[in-house]
Amino acid sequence: MTDTVKGPASYFPSIEKKYGRPIAEWKETIRSSALTKHGELVSWLKTEHGLGHGHANALVAHTLAENSGK
């Protein structure tokens, strides 16, 4: 039996399929940005990279949680 992925990571397969870039690459893009606030990063991903709100939000939430050790 496999565990169901929950939370922001549940969006990852569709993000990779829709935008053609691996999650690790998106996370590096987020980490290399000069922006640090969740909302700023979400807006930036939407305007500069064409992501939808849900996908951008999931990537930012997961990446920032990793960065904070949560």
Side-chain angles (χ1 to χ4, degrees):
M1 186 168 142
T2 60
D3 292 329
T4 302
V5 176
K6 296 179 181 172
S10 67
Y11 286 88
F12 290 177
S14 62
I15 292 169
E16 288 180 333
K17 182 178 179 182
K18 183 168 185 170
Y19 304 105
R21 292 173 62 186
I23 296 304
E25 192 175 314
W26 285 114
K27 288 182 177 185
E28 184 56 36
T29 299
I30 292 167
R31 288 185 181 112
S32 66
S33 168
L35 304 172
T36 58
K37 294 183 179 177
H38 182 99
E40 292 173 340
L41 286 161
V42 169
S43 293
W44 174 70
L45 286 173
K46 290 167 60 177
T47 58
E48 296 297 318
H49 296 280
L51 270 70
H53 182 80
H55 288 160
N57 189 58
L59 283 167
V60 171
H62 199 270
T63 303
L64 292 180
E66 280 183 344
N67 290 353
S68 70
K70 292 182 181 178

